Amino acid sequence: MQYPKKFVERAKAAYPDFARLHQALDAGSEWVGRYLDDSAPQSVSLKEILNAKSLEEVQAKARAVKEKQELYDEWGKLYKIELTRQNQGR
């Protein structure tokens, strides 16, 4: 599976220290979906909210959570497109 360059860049930026994800992205592996699903937080924790020094800090954390969720959703769409392409080639 060939991931769009922009998708790869966004995923690597969202998970800068996740070497396995980076390798999977570069290899076009379907494991990308599993890594994104397992790693995407569902919300900003209460502790993070209470420890934040400003509204901007809370918003930045929320944007990061949203970006990670959107990456997994986008992966799902890319995967469906790939499956359709493969099935049409049969």
Side-chain angles (χ1 to χ4, degrees):
M1 186 168 172
Q2 183 68 32
Y3 294 107
K5 183 179 178 184
K6 183 84 169 164
F7 176 80
V8 171
E9 290 170 353
R10 287 178 47 224
K12 288 181 177 183
Y15 297 96
D17 301 321
F18 197 164
R20 282 189 182 168
L21 173 62
H22 294 205
Q23 292 168 349
L25 286 160
D26 293 339
S29 173
E30 293 174 4
W31 277 95
V32 169
R34 178 82 274 144
Y35 293 144
L36 291 174
D37 187 32
D38 289 348
S39 301
Q42 298 303 308
S43 63
V44 178
S45 74
L46 184 57
K47 183 178 180 180
E48 289 176 302
I49 293 169
L50 292 173
N51 289 335
K53 304 289 184 220
S54 67
L55 173 60
E56 291 77 19
E57 187 177 338
V58 174
Q59 289 174 328
K61 290 181 184 297
R63 280 191 284 278
V65 168
K66 183 176 184 266
E67 173 68 3
K68 290 175 178 180
Q69 291 171 347
E70 288 173 350
L71 282 166
Y72 179 65
D73 291 344
E74 185 174 342
W75 178 86
K77 292 174 186 171
L78 292 169
Y79 185 68
K80 285 180 184 177
I81 291 168
E82 178 66 13
L83 287 179
T84 301
R85 188 188 66 75
Q86 288 177 4
N87 288 333
Q88 288 175 346
R90 288 184 178 178

